[in-house]
């Protein structure tokens, strides 16, 4: 090994001059990462295959400008030199460098990195007076020659570069090493890859036009961004504020907000987002960019607009439609761009003709309202009129009204289901492809000829529960990826043993295997309204790992011994097990058993049994389900006493017929058994988190839920006032109590809506590394737990796979043993948590947008004027200046209903309640809005008032379709058999649990009062108190809480 020193003077993409001094070590042996290596390099991880016809080594400039072409999986055998990668890192910024890193990690792409600057014989030092660019090209060429010779000439090597001088100089210097332009390489080696050639031409054209535009146009449309040095100094001093730009999609030309990051002390009085009004003050920042903002003087502050916008052409906002003034600012610089792939459509033909003579330059409209129009160069505008395409942004100069970009590929015909689904995936950065052969080869075979069996050696390492425990799963219908199963039994000492058994995915998915790398990249299974995209191959997710009924499976189990009276945890055991699930029960069947219905037909394992055996087994199952529910009620009560929240979400199930057409939209009906299963999973996650942090305090992966910002509760508090409810948001306990008290006996939807609004006010729960923050930040606000993680769904969440490995490492530490694989460093774990959080948020958005897509598709082909399915009951939950926001329970729809139309007419009602439009005006109050006609007739719409609405679909050429609501009657829609019901038996039982909580709280207060006033002499001496404990009281009212209060 030879030690040298390397001094680099680099210029970043922001124009900063960076002097880098490194100790530079040169070695004779550096992994080449090729299967053809005969020099016995220590190659690990991804290797280049010997089936490629050649290896290709891109120059630094090619990597910088054409990385998205190199991402095509058809381009195989790519060697990225360390020199090129560092050029991207220092000159193109973190975003481009991270794309390159992800490409190198991706098992689906045959590309590797070679550390040429550490190889003794491939590295060449920079000569005096040599430009950085020339040295980088020379360094990569000599590394290319070394690589070819290292492989003993077994594989031709092609270096691609945009440097014409290098092509002339090195083109014929070494036999077997070819130096060609990137364009020539694509034309000669990949002539049939049409998409690649189109993308290349698009990128080249975009660069040329950007250069021409800069030369031709001297006028400034926007202010220049401040340099990064000035921004950093300004943020440090408090003059500028750093945050992420969020554009209001309903008023994208007028309103954006900057959510503050790392608020300096000088700005500590700011507790709200900063309003950015108009596109000029946004200064070329795009949704998601990290920006620096300068506050405007207080007399220039403005308020949020309260008017409803039907489309983007409505950009007029008067002072009367604004709320209270809030901090307002302007963007002075971009700290980090967040550009991505954008789905767009071309304008109509007449608009293309009106854009000028040079029709190669087209303004395309993004699918996402928040993104500005993008200028691209293409000759396909007319032929792709009705298609959605993907573009990427290249630049946005101060001389241009719009950003410049380039065409990437055609997505499909607009309006087609598969195109719209693909658009949703692209917009959220979800890339779904088939699993590779390399990944599938890692999975054990399971065929009728060669069935998978429990390995005898592995059985010796596990606790066998197959003959001792009644294990069963409770899942939705048609569920294939069964992560979890439950068990409960009575022990010899009359105590109970509760078991949560989770599929042992880590047994089959080894660390850093191809399957593991792919699962890490996907991070989560993505659920859409009509399909799912698995994190793991189906042979694992639906077979080998899925805890199917009657099948032997490897599991990781948590077993608690619970006190027979108060269900307090006495002991806990973690470990690897073998289980055989006896029943795979649907939620509806489990709820029927809980409600006392013994004629359940949805338990196939009981079919065909003799009546006596069936009766015995059914009794055992009913006892287990009831006992699980009993335990879950108790643990939920304890969490509720600490402040655990019961929130409300709107979940819609899309019903498809045999031809995959939408037959109905059905809101998910909550069942008590949902809460039973959830509570058991919460308990397991909590105890696993405790175990990991106990043994690995600085290396754990947990999940925290930060307290919400108080400003987020404003809408909830104001809305509740309409019913004279007071919502206390000072703590999770206060909020939970307030929501419990906010019950309208005549309308259960009021409480559901308030809980839904509370859910929307919540901050996002996040995965984090325990070594990255103090323990007081571990708290989970929603669940009221000091430590929490995700352990129970490793088939569909990569975080759970990491937690399984951490739990096994923690158990080995109890035995003073080291894990087989080293744990992730704190930095690597932080990066992984950031990646998983990002993918989880994307998957949630995809699920929500796919449901909205199907809601629109359901109403698209229906005649809203005659089809009774398009008329439904709605409840008003927000008042705006020109309309109301309405929730339609029947379909789970939330949308705007206008009280003033484009012609200026206002809505009014006839004596029978039917509505029509007349000239008039609107007057908005806090909890209602009054519509008054020119003739003096008036009608009032109040918060939580039920109305009848007509539902229709509003189609857009460029944007996603939306739901449109029209008020047709100011009276509630008459109830029909298709309307969802409320107040079922399980809801009543939930009410009883709340009564238990309130009684327990009263008991606690009574005990505290007794301690202050009724202390006897012996109590003073021995510090003892008299009376029943909290759990004794709970035991006394246990029978009341468990009574069947169902009606009918």
């Amino acid at each position: 090994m030879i030690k040298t020193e390397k001094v680099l003077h680099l210029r970043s993409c922001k124009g900063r001059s960076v002097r880098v001094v490194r100790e530079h070590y040169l070695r004779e042996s550096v992994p080449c990462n090729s299967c053809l290596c005969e020099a016995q390099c220590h190659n690990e991880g991804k290797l280049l295959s010997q089936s490629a016809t050649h290896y290709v080594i891109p120059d630094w400039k090619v990597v910088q400008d054409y990385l998205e072409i190199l991402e095509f999986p058809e381009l195989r055998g790519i060697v990225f030199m360390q020199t090129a990668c560092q050029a991207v890192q220092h000159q193109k910024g973190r975003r481009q460098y991270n794309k390159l890193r992800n490409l190198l990690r991706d098992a689906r792409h045959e590309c590797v990195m070679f550390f040429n600057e550490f190889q003794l014989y491939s590295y060449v030092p920079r000569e005096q007076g040599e430009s950085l660019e020339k040295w980088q090209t020379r360094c990569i060429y000599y590394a290319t020659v070394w690589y070819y010779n290292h492989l003993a000439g077994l594989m031709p090597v092609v270096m691609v570069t945009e440097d014409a001088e290098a092509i002339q100089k090195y083109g014929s210097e070494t036999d077997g090493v070819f130096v060609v332009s990137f364009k020539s390489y694509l034309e000669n080696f990949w002539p049939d890859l049409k998409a690649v050639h189109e993308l290349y031409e698009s990128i080249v054209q975009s660069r040329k036009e950007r250069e021409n535009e800069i030369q031709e146009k001297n006028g400034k449309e926007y202010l220049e961004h401040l340099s990064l040095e000035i921004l950093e100094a300004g943020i440090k001093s408090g003059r500028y504020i750093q945050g992420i730009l969020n554009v209001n999609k309903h008023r994208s030309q007028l309103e954006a907000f900057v959510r503050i990051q790392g608020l300096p002390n000088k700005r500590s009085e700011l507790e709200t987002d900063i309003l950015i009004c108009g596109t000029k003050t946004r200064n070329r920042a795009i949704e998601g960019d990290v920006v620096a903002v300068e506050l405007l003087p207080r007399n220039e502050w403005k308020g949020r607009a309260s008017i409803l916008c039907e489309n983007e052409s409505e950009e007029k906002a008067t002072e009367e439609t604004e709320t209270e003034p809030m901090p307002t600012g302007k963007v002075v610089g971009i700290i980090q761009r967040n550009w991505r792939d954008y789905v767009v459509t071309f304008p109509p033909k007449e608009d293309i003709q009106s854009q000028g003579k040079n029709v190669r330059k087209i303004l395309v409209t993004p699918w996402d309202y928040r993104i500005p129009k993008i200028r691209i160069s293409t000759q396909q505008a007319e032929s792709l009129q009705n298609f959605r395409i993907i573009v990427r942004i290249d630049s946005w100069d101060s001389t241009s009204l719009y950003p410049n970009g380039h065409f990437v590929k055609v997505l499909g015909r607009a309006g087609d289901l598969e195109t719209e689904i693909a658009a949703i995936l692209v917009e959220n950065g979800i890339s779904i492809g088939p699993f590779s052969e390399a990944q599938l080869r890692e999975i054990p075979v399971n065929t009728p000829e060669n069935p998978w069996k429990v390995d005898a050696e592995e059985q010796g390492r596990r606790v066998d529960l197959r003959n001792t425990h009644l294990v069963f799963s409770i899942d939705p219908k048609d569920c294939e990826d069964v992560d979890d199963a439950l068990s409960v039994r009575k022990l010899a000492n009359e105590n109970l043993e509760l078991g949560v058994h989770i599929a042992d995915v880590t047994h089959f998915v080894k660390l850093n295997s191809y399957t593991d790398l792919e699962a890490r990249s996907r991070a989560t299974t993505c659920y859409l309204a009509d399909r799912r995209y698995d994190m793991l191959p189906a042979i694992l997710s639906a077979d080998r790992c899925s805890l199917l009924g009657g099948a032997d499976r490897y599991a990781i189990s948590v077993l608690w011994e619970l006190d027979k009276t108060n269900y307090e945890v006495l002991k806990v055991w973690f470990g690897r097990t073998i289980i055989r699930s006896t029943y795979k029960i649907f939620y509806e069947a489990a709820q029927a058993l809980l409600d006392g219905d013994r004629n359940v037909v949805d338990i196939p394992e009981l079919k065909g049994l003799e009546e006596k055996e069936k009766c015995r087994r059914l009794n055992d199952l009913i006892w287990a389900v009831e006992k699980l529910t009993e335990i879950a009620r108790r643990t939920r009560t304890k969490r509720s006493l600490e402040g655990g929240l019961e929130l409300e979400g709107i979940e819609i199930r899309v019903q498809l017929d045999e031809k995959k057409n939408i037959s109905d939209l059905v809101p998910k009906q909550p069942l008590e058994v949902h809460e039973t299963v959830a509570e058991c999973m919460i308990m397991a996650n909590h105890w696993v988190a405790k175990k990991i942090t106990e043994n690995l305090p600085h290396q754990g992966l947990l999940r925290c839920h930060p307290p919400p910002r108080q400003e987020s509760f404003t809408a909830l508090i104001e809305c509740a006032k309409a019913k004279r409810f007071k919502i206390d948001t000072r703590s999770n306990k206060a909020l939970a109590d307030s929501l419990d008290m906010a019950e309208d006996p005549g309308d259960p939807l009021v409480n559901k809506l308030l809980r839904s609004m509370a859910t929307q006010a919540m901050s996002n729960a996040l995965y984090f590394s325990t070594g990255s923050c103090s323990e007081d930040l571990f708290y989970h606000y929603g669940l009221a737990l000091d430590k929490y993680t995700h352990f129970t769904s490793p088939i569909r969440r990569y975080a759970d796979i990491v937690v399984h490995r951490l739990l096994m490492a923690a158990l080995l530490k109890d035995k003073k043993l080291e894990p087989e694989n080293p744990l992730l460093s704190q930095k690597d774990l932080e990066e992984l948590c950031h990646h998983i959080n990002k993918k989880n948020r994307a998957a949630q958005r995809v699920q929500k947008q796919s449901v909205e897509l199907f809601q629109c598709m359901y109403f698209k082909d229906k005649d809203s004027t005659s089809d009774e399915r398009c008329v439904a009951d709605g409840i008003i939950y927000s008042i705006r200046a020109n309309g109301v926001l309405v929730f339609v329970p029947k379909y789970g729809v939330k949308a705007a209903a206008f009280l003033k139309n484009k012609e200026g007419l206002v809505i009014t009602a006839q004596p029978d309640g039917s509505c029509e439009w007349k000239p008039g005006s609107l007057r908005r109050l806090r909890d209602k809005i009054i519509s008054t006609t020119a003739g003096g007739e008036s009608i009032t719409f109040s918060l939580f008032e039920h109305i009848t609405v007509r539902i229709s679909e509003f189609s857009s050429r460029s944007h996603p379709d939306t739901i449109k609501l029209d008020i047709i009657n100011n009276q509630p829609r008459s109830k029909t058999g298709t309307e969802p019901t409320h107040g079922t038996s399980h809801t009543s039982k939930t009410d009883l649990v709340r009564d238990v909580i309130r009684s327990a709280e009263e008991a606690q207060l009574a005990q505290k009062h007794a301690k202050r006033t009724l202390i006897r002499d012996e109590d003073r001496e021995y510090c003892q108190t008299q009376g029943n404990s909290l759990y004794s009281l709970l035991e006394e009212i246990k029978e009341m809480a468990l009574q069947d209060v169902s009606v009918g």
Side-chain angles (χ1 to χ4, degrees):
M1 182 183 295
I2 299 175
K3 177 183 176 183
T4 64
E5 190 176 81
K6 184 166 70 171
V7 180
L8 297 177
H9 294 274
L10 305 175
R11 188 167 296 278
S12 73
C13 60
K14 298 293 183 181
R16 299 176 62 195
S17 179
V18 183
R19 184 177 185 271
V20 181
V21 181
R22 293 197 186 98
E23 288 184 348
H24 193 190
Y25 294 90
L26 299 175
R27 305 172 179 84
E28 289 190 10
S29 178
V30 174
C32 67
N33 299 316
S34 171
C35 288
L36 295 173
C37 178
E38 297 180 348
Q40 297 181 341
C41 289
H42 298 291
N43 293 320
E44 296 179 354
K46 269 206 309 184
L47 299 179
L48 297 180
S49 71
Q50 56 188 2
S51 61
T53 58
H54 64 280
Y55 290 164
V56 59
I57 298 178
D59 191 10
W60 63 275
K61 186 67 171 171
V62 173
V63 179
Q64 283 189 1
D65 294 342
Y66 303 105
L67 180 60
E68 55 196 290
I69 293 179
L70 298 173
E71 290 175 335
F72 274 73
E74 291 88 351
L75 273 61
R76 303 170 55 216
I78 304 176
V79 182
F80 290 98
M81 292 296 173
Q82 175 190 3
T83 303
C85 296
Q86 288 179 347
V88 172
Q89 181 182 14
H90 295 303
Q91 296 171 37
K92 296 296 285 186
R94 186 195 313 169
R95 178 176 162 272
Q96 188 81 345
Y97 182 61
N98 284 339
K99 282 185 66 177
L100 176 57
R101 290 177 64 192
N102 292 335
L103 178 64
L104 287 164
R105 292 172 178 169
D106 195 333
R108 295 170 295 185
H109 293 270
E110 191 181 312
C111 60
V112 298
M113 180 177 174
F114 175 62
F115 291 89
N116 63 299
E117 295 189 25
F118 294 143
Q119 218 294 328
L120 177 61
Y121 303 113
S122 71
Y123 174 69
V124 291
R126 185 175 172 185
E127 296 175 353
Q128 189 171 3
E130 185 178 25
S131 69
L132 175 64
E133 291 79 7
K134 292 297 181 185
W135 170 74
Q136 288 173 333
T137 300
R138 185 166 65 92
C139 203
I140 291 173
Y141 171 72
Y142 279 103
T144 302
V145 173
W146 179 91
Y147 202 87
Y148 172 75
N149 292 326
H150 175 75
L151 299 180
L154 295 174
M155 181 69 70
V157 179
V158 181
M159 175 181 168
V160 291
T161 179
E162 294 293 275
D163 189 337
E165 186 179 326
I167 295 172
Q168 185 176 3
K169 181 177 180 180
Y170 303 127
S172 57
E173 186 172 287
T174 307
D175 290 339
V177 175
F178 304 89
V179 183
V180 299
S181 69
F182 194 44
K183 181 178 182 180
S184 176
Y185 171 74
L186 294 177
E187 289 175 346
N188 289 283
F189 286 85
W190 305 101
D192 298 328
L193 287 182
K194 183 181 177 182
V196 167
H197 291 282
E198 289 177 349
L199 180 54
Y200 176 82
E201 292 299 329
S202 180
I203 295 172
V204 170
Q205 188 64 31
S206 176
R207 287 171 55 202
K208 285 181 180 177
E209 294 194 353
R210 181 189 175 193
E211 293 168 1
N212 294 337
E213 186 175 285
I214 293 173
Q215 292 174 1
E216 294 172 2
K217 192 166 184 178
N218 297 319
K220 302 285 186 183
E221 299 289 352
Y222 297 94
L223 294 174
E224 291 288 352
H225 292 148
L226 299 179
S227 68
L228 200 57
E229 292 96 330
I230 295 175
L231 294 178
E232 288 174 347
I235 291 169
K236 190 174 182 180
S237 67
R239 179 178 180 181
Y240 306 131
I241 301 168
Q242 178 176 324
I244 298 176
L245 185 79
N246 296 302
V247 179
N248 181 350
K249 72 175 182 178
H250 302 292
R251 305 180 62 80
S252 63
Q253 299 298 309
L254 292 176
E255 276 188 357
F257 303 91
V258 172
R259 175 142 294 185
I260 303 166
Q261 290 181 321
L263 199 61
N265 291 332
K266 294 189 178 182
R267 301 293 187 191
S268 59
E269 73 274 9
L270 292 178
E271 296 180 354
T272 66
D273 296 338
I274 298 172
L275 175 65
I276 309 294
C277 291
T279 56
K280 289 294 183 183
T281 53
R282 207 177 300 171
N283 197 6
R284 295 170 286 148
I286 291 178
E287 167 72 22
D289 285 350
V290 180
V291 299
V293 175
E294 183 177 21
L295 282 179
L296 298 176
R298 279 185 177 268
N299 61 357
E300 296 182 30
W301 286 10
K302 298 182 178 180
R304 297 171 185 254
S306 62
I307 193 169
L308 294 172
C309 283
E310 189 167 359
N311 55 53
E312 286 302 299
S313 63
E314 297 184 26
E315 295 181 358
K316 296 180 181 179
T318 64
E319 294 298 322
E320 295 177 359
T321 64
E322 290 184 1
T323 58
E324 289 295 318
M326 63 183 294
T328 308
K330 62 181 180 181
V331 174
V332 295
I334 309 292
I335 296 170
Q336 184 181 336
R337 286 290 191 188
N338 192 38
W339 294 344
R340 53 175 175 81
D341 287 358
Y342 299 102
V343 177
V344 303
T345 51
F346 287 107
K349 289 183 180 180
E350 55 271 20
D351 289 352
I352 293 176
Q353 293 169 359
S354 67
Q355 287 189 20
K357 296 179 181 179
N358 188 3
V359 294
R360 286 181 61 86
K361 292 183 179 180
I362 303 294
L363 279 176
V364 292
T365 304
W367 183 89
D368 189 340
Y369 279 105
R370 302 170 299 177
I371 308 302
K373 291 181 178 180
I374 302 169
R375 183 187 292 110
I376 67 169
S377 297
T378 181
Q379 294 177 331
Q380 303 182 69
E382 292 191 11
S383 61
L384 295 177
Q385 272 290 294
N386 299 315
F387 288 80
R388 298 206 190 277
I389 67 169
I390 297 175
V391 303
R392 289 176 183 156
I393 295 177
D394 299 316
S395 63
W396 195 350
D397 299 310
S398 60
T399 57
S400 176
L401 274 173
Y402 300 100
N404 293 307
H406 63 269
F407 169 90
V408 176
K409 69 175 182 178
V410 177
L411 204 57
R413 187 174 292 276
D416 291 351
L417 175 60
E418 294 307 316
T419 300
E420 299 306 315
I421 291 291
I424 290 172
L425 294 174
V426 170
E427 281 292 319
N428 291 285
I430 301 291
S431 177
I432 303 295
F435 291 96
S436 68
E437 291 183 11
Q439 292 155 5
L440 298 177
R441 281 197 298 267
E442 294 177 338
I443 302 170
V445 176
N446 184 36
T447 62
E449 300 78 24
N450 186 20
W452 179 86
K453 296 179 181 179
V454 171
D455 180 72
E457 187 177 342
E458 183 65 26
Q459 183 173 345
R461 303 190 192 104
R462 297 173 178 265
V463 176
D464 194 339
L465 306 180
R466 288 175 290 183
N467 298 318
T468 57
H469 289 64
L470 173 63
V471 177
F472 57 94
S473 63
I474 306 176
D475 291 284
K477 287 185 177 180
D478 304 320
C479 177
E480 296 177 341
D481 51 343
V482 182
D483 291 280
D484 55 86
L486 299 165
S487 67
V488 62
R489 63 173 184 161
K490 189 175 289 187
L491 301 175
N493 59 5
E494 295 298 314
N495 286 335
L496 293 178
E497 181 192 76
L498 170 65
V500 171
H501 314 277
I502 307 301
D504 189 359
V505 174
T506 55
H507 174 81
F508 299 100
V509 180
K510 302 301 183 185
L511 181 66
N512 292 329
S513 63
Y514 289 125
T515 309
D516 181 58
L517 293 173
E518 178 66 20
R520 186 186 306 174
S521 174
R522 299 190 182 203
T524 180
T525 292
C526 198
Y527 292 92
L528 280 71
D530 68 329
R531 68 192 75 184
R532 74 171 190 267
Y533 294 103
D534 290 325
M535 182 184 78
L536 295 172
I539 192 172
L540 285 179
S541 62
D543 186 7
R544 285 278 50 78
C545 294
S546 187
L547 306 182
L548 303 174
D552 293 343
R553 290 292 182 263
Y554 294 149
I556 297 179
S557 301
V558 185
L559 300 174
W560 298 270
E561 182 178 343
L562 307 178
D563 184 273
K564 60 186 175 184
T565 56
N566 57 28
Y567 301 146
E568 278 291 290
V569 175
L570 304 177
K571 295 178 185 176
V572 61
W573 178 88
F574 308 90
R576 282 194 152 111
T577 57
I578 302 174
I579 66 168
R580 183 186 297 135
S581 179
T582 307
Y583 305 103
K584 183 175 181 291
I585 314 174
F586 302 140
Y587 279 119
E588 293 78 7
Q591 184 65 47
L593 293 176
L594 196 58
D595 293 340
D597 182 2
R598 299 179 62 90
N599 299 315
V600 179
V601 296
D602 280 340
I603 305 179
E605 292 86 354
L606 294 178
K607 293 180 180 178
L609 296 177
E610 293 183 2
E611 193 60 33
K612 185 177 180 181
E613 177 64 13
K614 179 179 178 180
C615 185
R616 183 189 67 79
R617 293 181 63 174
L618 188 59
N619 287 338
D620 291 344
L621 181 59
I622 291 173
W623 180 88
V625 172
E626 289 178 344
K627 192 58 65 175
L628 281 175
T629 303
E630 211 174 305
I631 295 168
R633 287 174 184 162
R634 188 63 57 85
T635 56
R636 187 158 170 255
T637 298
K638 287 176 59 180
R639 278 199 309 104
S640 297
L641 286 170
E642 296 296 326
L645 294 171
E646 181 188 338
L647 299 176
E648 184 75 30
I650 301 169
E651 189 173 337
I652 299 297
R653 185 162 53 89
V654 177
Q655 286 187 350
L656 303 176
D657 60 23
E658 295 178 356
K659 296 180 179 179
K660 299 296 182 182
N661 295 317
I662 309 169
S663 60
D664 203 358
L665 298 172
V666 182
K668 178 181 176 182
Q669 293 298 315
L671 304 172
E672 187 182 13
V673 75
H674 289 146
E675 298 168 357
T676 297
V677 175
E679 201 63 45
C680 292
M681 299 304 116
I682 291 170
M683 187 174 176
N685 290 331
H686 172 53
W687 279 86
V688 168
K690 288 170 64 174
K691 183 62 179 179
I692 289 174
T693 51
E694 176 187 325
N695 285 12
L696 305 169
H698 305 297
Q699 296 170 289
L701 185 153
L702 298 190
R703 187 165 176 83
C704 70
H705 183 205
R709 295 154 56 128
Q710 286 299 308
E711 66 178 83
S712 302
F713 289 119
T714 303
L716 169 65
I717 293 170
E718 291 301 317
C719 198
K721 286 179 181 178
K723 286 286 186 179
R724 298 187 178 181
F725 297 137
K726 183 178 179 182
I727 303 296
D728 187 346
T729 62
R730 288 175 296 177
S731 68
N732 53 356
K733 182 71 171 68
L735 177 61
D737 291 344
S738 300
L739 291 172
D740 285 346
M741 298 296 292
E743 291 275 7
D744 184 341
D747 190 357
L749 277 174
V750 171
N751 189 262
K752 291 174 73 70
L753 270 174
L754 290 175
R755 290 184 186 276
S756 176
M757 295 177 75
T759 303
Q760 292 177 340
M762 293 294 118
S763 54
N764 290 323
L766 300 167
Y767 298 107
F768 68 98
S769 163
T770 53
S772 64
C773 58
S774 58
E775 193 166 339
D776 59 316
L777 299 177
F778 292 7
Y779 187 69
H780 197 292
Y781 177 90
L783 297 177
L785 294 172
D786 59 340
K787 295 180 182 70
Y788 191 70
T789 191
H790 273 165
F791 158 77
T792 53
S793 296
I795 290 177
R796 59 186 179 91
R797 292 189 303 232
Y798 190 75
D800 301 54
I801 291 179
V802 177
V803 169
H804 277 221
R805 291 171 180 153
L806 289 169
L807 177 61
M808 292 301 103
L811 297 178
L812 285 174
K813 193 168 184 180
D814 283 340
K815 302 175 183 177
K816 298 186 173 7
L817 298 174
E818 291 295 322
E820 181 181 346
N821 296 299
L823 300 177
L824 292 174
S825 67
Q826 181 177 319
K827 181 182 178 182
D828 289 341
L829 189 55
E830 281 184 42
E831 285 187 4
L832 180 59
C833 289
H834 176 76
H835 167 72
I836 296 174
N837 288 330
K838 181 180 176 181
K839 288 292 187 180
N840 276 355
R841 288 193 294 269
Q844 289 166 5
R845 291 193 300 268
V846 165
Q847 185 173 20
K848 178 176 179 288
Q849 290 168 5
S850 74
V851 170
E852 291 170 351
L853 169 64
F854 275 87
Q855 285 174 331
C856 291
M857 291 179 65
Y858 179 73
F859 293 104
K860 190 167 190 171
D861 299 325
K862 293 178 174 58
D863 184 353
S864 61
T865 59
S866 59
D867 196 324
E868 280 297 308
R869 290 172 294 181
C870 296
V871 178
D873 183 71
I875 180 170
I876 298 171
Y877 69 92
S878 183
I879 304 292
R880 298 298 172 88
N882 60 337
V884 293
L885 297 180
V886 179
F887 171 55
V888 182
K890 182 178 179 181
Y891 298 116
V893 167
K894 284 185 175 181
F898 290 86
L899 302 183
K900 178 182 279 189
N901 63 18
K902 293 179 181 179
E903 289 74 34
L905 304 178
V906 299
I907 201 165
T908 186
Q910 299 296 317
D912 62 353
S914 59
C915 295
E916 61 181 358
W917 297 98
K918 289 184 178 182
S921 61
L922 298 176
R923 182 184 172 210
R924 179 192 178 193
L925 302 176
R926 190 191 70 188
D927 58 353
K928 58 188 174 183
I929 184 169
I930 303 171
S931 174
T932 306
T933 66
E937 304 167 358
S938 66
I939 178 175
T940 301
F941 293 93
S942 303
L943 281 174
F944 299 114
E945 184 176 315
H946 285 257
I947 55 177
T948 302
V949 295
R950 177 182 290 118
I951 309 168
S952 58
E953 181 256 1
F954 178 77
S955 296
S956 169
R957 174 186 175 82
S958 303
H959 305 293
D961 295 343
T962 54
I963 291 292
K964 182 173 179 287
L965 298 183
D966 293 300
I967 301 174
I968 60 174
N969 198 299
N970 70 338
Q971 300 298 317
R973 170 75 166 168
S974 58
K975 292 287 183 181
T976 66
T978 59
E979 295 286 344
T981 57
H982 305 282
T984 55
S985 62
H986 76 273
T987 305
S988 301
K989 291 182 180 179
T990 301
D991 292 339
L992 278 178
V993 173
R994 292 179 190 165
D995 292 338
V996 172
I997 296 168
R998 293 194 188 104
S999 299
E1001 289 173 339
E1002 291 170 3
Q1004 286 181 326
L1005 291 173
Q1007 286 181 345
K1008 290 179 182 178
H1009 181 70
K1011 286 182 181 179
R1012 289 195 300 267
T1013 58
L1014 300 174
I1015 303 178
R1016 301 184 307 179
D1017 293 339
E1018 59 266 37
D1019 298 333
R1020 293 191 182 96
E1021 182 176 354
Y1022 299 106
C1023 297
Q1024 295 176 339
T1025 57
Q1026 300 297 313
N1028 293 333
S1029 68
L1030 166 63
Y1031 293 112
S1032 297
L1033 178 65
L1034 286 172
E1035 183 61 26
E1036 289 176 11
I1037 59 176
K1038 163 184 162 185
E1039 292 304 320
M1040 180 193 75
L1042 299 181
Q1043 285 175 355
D1044 188 355
V1045 294
S1046 57
V1047 180

